[in-house]
Each structure stands twice: as C-alpha cells, then as structure tokens.
Amino acid sequence: MSACKEDDPRIDGIQSRIRVVPNFPKPGIMFQDITTLLLDPKAFKDTIDLFVERYKSKNITIVAGIEARGFIFGPPIALAIGAKFVPLRKPKKLPGKVFREEYDLEYGSDCLEMHVGAVESGECALVVDDLIATGGTLCAAMNLLERAGAEVVECACVIEIPDLKGRDRLKGKPLFVLVESQ
Amino acid sequence: MAVIPCPLVLKISGAKIVPQSNYHSGNSVKIKLLPNTETPIAIRKTPPIHGRANTPRPLQPIRFLHMAAQNVDSTDDRISRISSSIRVIPDFPKPGIMFQDITTLLLDPKAFKDTIDLFVERYKDQNINVVAGIEARGFIFGPPIALAIGAKFVPMRKPKKLPGEVISEEYSLEYGTDIMEMHVGAVQAGERALVVDDLIATGGTLSAAIRLLERVGVDVVECACVIELPELKGRNRLGDKPLFVLVT
C-alpha cells in the first residue's frame, strides 16, 4: 500500500526546493539534496505539517529517525504529535546498551543501532528518513523496532525513488512519501 | 530619557529577579497580580532603546525569562525536569569520561518540548535568520528551534556528507584534527545566526562552526547548547560569542 500527497498544494513548493546534485556520492547517482528545502522556512514547515496532519490522531507513541537526515525531520514530527523521539544510529554512537541490526549495502554491509529500553512492547512507531532508495536502511530500522516489541505503523519519507522499489522491502508495511523522484 | 533604577533584588514565591546592569536605558519592574492567583509575578518591561528601534534588545541570562503564560511551567521547573531526564553513562566513549546522554530526554515528550520552548522563548524576538546545527545531535535540537522562530536550518557536517560545493574548516581534537563543512550559498553575509549543539565540552566543534559562518560574513549572535561541561572551559574558545545553556 502506498500513499503520496500529489494533490496537496504545498507539495509543489516542497518539490521545487529539493536540489538534485549529479554524480554524488559517485558517478551516475543523481543525489536528492534536501538541505535547500531546509533553507526555505515555509517549505520546511509545510513538510512537517503534512506528516503531522497524517499522524497526529494515530496514537503513535514513537517516532524513530534514521541518522543523520532522519534526525532533521523526525524530532519536529515527534514534538508536534507528542511522541518520543528515538534516534537510530550508526554503530558505536549510542552510549548505552543497544540492539544492533546488520543490513546489506550495494557493496558490503552496515549496521544500525537502537538503545535498549527506548521502546516498550506494544508501542506504535513511525520510522522517518529524508529519502527511501533501496529500502535497506528502513528495513533494518523496522527490524530494530519490532525486536523491541513495537508495532511499526508506517514509514514516512520526504522523497521516494520508485525505480529502486524500496517500498517492496518494507515487509508489507505501508510507506508514505511527499515527493517521488526519477 | 530618565533612568529608572531597578530594585536590587525581588524575591517572589521563589522567583528571583536581579537587575540587568548593562541596559542602556532605564528599565522598570512592575508587579502584577494575575487573575485567579494570589501569587504576584514580576513582569519586566524594557522601553525601546533610543535610536535603536530595530535592534533586538540585549539577550539576558536564562533566569530573566519572564513567565509569559499561566499554563507554562516556571523556567526552574522545566530546567529541573530536563536536567533529571539526561542520563549519565560512565566510561563512554572511553574510560574516565562521564557521557551526558540526551537520548533519554528525547524519550520524555514534555521535557523535549520544554527544552525547545526555552530556546524559542529566548530567540524568537531576536531576528535570527539562521539556525546552524552541528551533526548529528545538533540536528535534533536545531530544526525545531528554526521552525518555531521562522529561521533557515543549516546543517554543519562531517566531511563528504554534503553534496555540492562546500567550505571546510579544520579543528583540533584531543588527538588529531577533524573537518567541518557547510554548503556554499546556504547563508548570506549580514544574516544573524545561532549555532546549536546538544553539548559544549572543549568548544572545538562550536568554534569551528563559528569560524565557518564568519568566513562568509554571518553575524553569529549566540551559541546554544542543552548542556555545558564548565570544567572543560569551552566557553573561552568561543571568542567574543556568548553561550547559552540550560544545564551545567
């Protein structure tokens, strides 16, 4: 199941503020740069508002944000809906006891960690990142939350790259995005 | 304009008001009884500074924030809750370091909201155009402040994370150096900026951020952190820039 807010008038402004940087981080990749969105206070606020409007009545108690750009979008959403914010981090950044989830990259693998005790069994969680590409990171994030007993309600991203079919890697969970990019 | 001297100390129900000696013109303190309460609350009124009508008035230390609304907890109560929500982890990332973990603060929605509110109350009338947040924990506190005060958010990042053209600043670590980067064109000369991070230790990272912003002509108004480790004297590495913190 998927959702995309094509019909909302705020989307155009948001989409137009995203800058595409060719050949970053390596040749052939068209990098979707959200930093230019953050330079437009109205567009940034609209981005957050679109997520908050969707989630505020859904009894979500956890917003999990993926390091580092998920840390930009997750906390404002968490604050507005009264949820906890849980950072999901690269290895060795979180100081306490952690759950650790390994996931595949194009070449090699990486890890995502979450604090033990951040999430209680039965809580409803949202996973937030700026962008979904292959879905590997989001899938690892969902696994972490589920291992701690939370139910992942939805994944929320500003941008989706549909050709990479990331939404098929979300274990049947829904994905909500604001903007689709080629 | 006549200078109206301030009473030296006013103690009202545990709230302490101390005169601000660096105001250029007079200030007055009125005692106003709020409806439905018997507790008088002091409200500070500052007249506009002659000839500087468009300049934000000087920032005051945190204890002078007046209670704007009846349904907002006192500053002291909010700070107390924030402080007690921060977890200390011994020997991280290495033996001897008592790590100040703000992730537990983020698990308390009221404490997290209060943290942001305390910064927003301080900066919302200061004509701040830019909030610069230092990767990665500055990304948690900076954007909510930026959104609330209508400022741009500018991420200050480790090397090779920002796509496009950047400017770089090297800074010292305990052993070796690191590099901080900012996008070219993110900020304009003359803009007023706040630099935000979760904690100030030695001040190396914050001073690198200040240098990056000043290199492009930005006026860094203040650095804002949740926590300060005063024994590390980071405040002294910020040049002439003031530092505002909630918890030491």
Side-chain angles (χ1 to χ4, degrees), chain A residues 34-35 71 87 110 126 128:
Chain A
I34 50 88
T35 66
F71 288 10
D110 206 343
L126 191 64
V128 173

Side-chain angles (χ1 to χ4, degrees), chain B residues 57-220:
Chain B
R57 65 178 192 276
L59 289 166
Q60 310 169 65
I62 186 167
R63 297 199 63 94
F64 306 153
L65 288 174
H66 67 259
M67 288 163 257
Q70 272 177 285
N71 61 354
V72 172
D73 290 344
S74 74
T75 299
D76 284 351
D77 286 344
R78 290 183 284 175
I79 298 269
S80 178
R81 184 177 179 134
I82 290 164
S83 183
S84 58
S85 72
I86 295 164
R87 173 171 72 156
V88 179
I89 307 254
D91 302 322
F92 183 89
K94 54 183 197 189
I97 306 228
M98 302 293 278
F99 188 89
Q100 305 287 321
D101 180 19
I102 49 88
T103 66
T104 41
L105 183 162
L106 308 175
L107 296 178
D108 178 348
K110 183 183 189 309
F112 187 18
K113 180 182 185 301
D114 286 346
T115 302
I116 301 303
D117 286 350
L118 284 162
F119 290 121
V120 170
E121 284 161 23
R122 182 176 180 81
Y123 297 117
K124 66 183 198 288
D125 299 323
Q126 295 294 320
N127 295 324
I128 305 281
N129 313 109
V130 175
V131 174
I134 299 179
E135 171 166 18
R137 290 185 291 262
F139 289 8
I140 295 174
F141 297 97
I145 297 168
L147 285 159
I149 68 176
K152 307 193 279 198
F153 177 72
V154 175
M156 314 292 267
R157 296 211 70 173
K158 303 280 191 207
K160 301 195 177 44
K161 302 292 186 79
L162 291 171
E165 213 191 335
V166 297
I167 59 170
S168 301
E169 183 74 26
E170 199 169 346
Y171 62 102
S172 304
L173 298 172
E174 193 181 5
Y175 300 108
T177 61
D178 205 343
I179 290 173
M180 181 182 295
E181 294 184 341
M182 179 176 78
H183 265 142
V184 168
V187 293
Q188 268 75 59
E191 288 192 305
R192 288 166 56 80
L194 203 57
V195 184
V196 174
D197 207 354
D198 66 322
L199 180 146
I200 175 171
T202 62
T205 325
L206 277 168
S207 65
I210 293 168
R211 288 195 299 278
L212 272 172
L213 291 160
E214 291 192 323
R215 275 166 61 185
V216 294
V218 165
D219 173 17
V220 177

Side-chain angles (χ1 to χ4, degrees), chain A residues 156-182:
Chain A
C157 301
V158 181
I159 305 162
E160 176 186 13
I161 312 210
D163 288 351
L164 296 178
K165 303 193 194 307
R167 67 171 64 235
D168 297 341
R169 275 186 83 169
L170 302 182
K171 312 194 304 172
K173 295 294 185 178
L175 169 72
F176 176 72
V177 303
L178 304 184
V179 164
E180 284 182 6
S181 173
Q182 307 315 310

Side-chain angles (χ1 to χ4, degrees), chain A residues 60-121:
Chain A
I60 289 172
T61 56
I62 295 173
V63 173
I66 299 178
E67 171 168 16
R69 290 183 292 263
F71 288 10
I72 295 173
F73 296 97
I77 297 168
L79 285 160
I81 68 175
K84 307 192 280 194
F85 178 70
V86 175
L88 304 182
R89 298 210 67 175
K90 301 285 191 210
K92 299 195 178 44
K93 304 292 187 83
L94 291 172
K97 195 158 171 241
V98 296
F99 292 104
R100 189 180 161 90
E101 182 79 18
E102 202 167 318
Y103 62 102
D104 292 330
L105 299 172
E106 193 183 352
Y107 299 107
S109 66
D110 206 343
C111 282
L112 208 57
E113 293 182 345
M114 180 178 81
H115 266 146
V116 171
V119 165
E120 287 166 44
S121 195

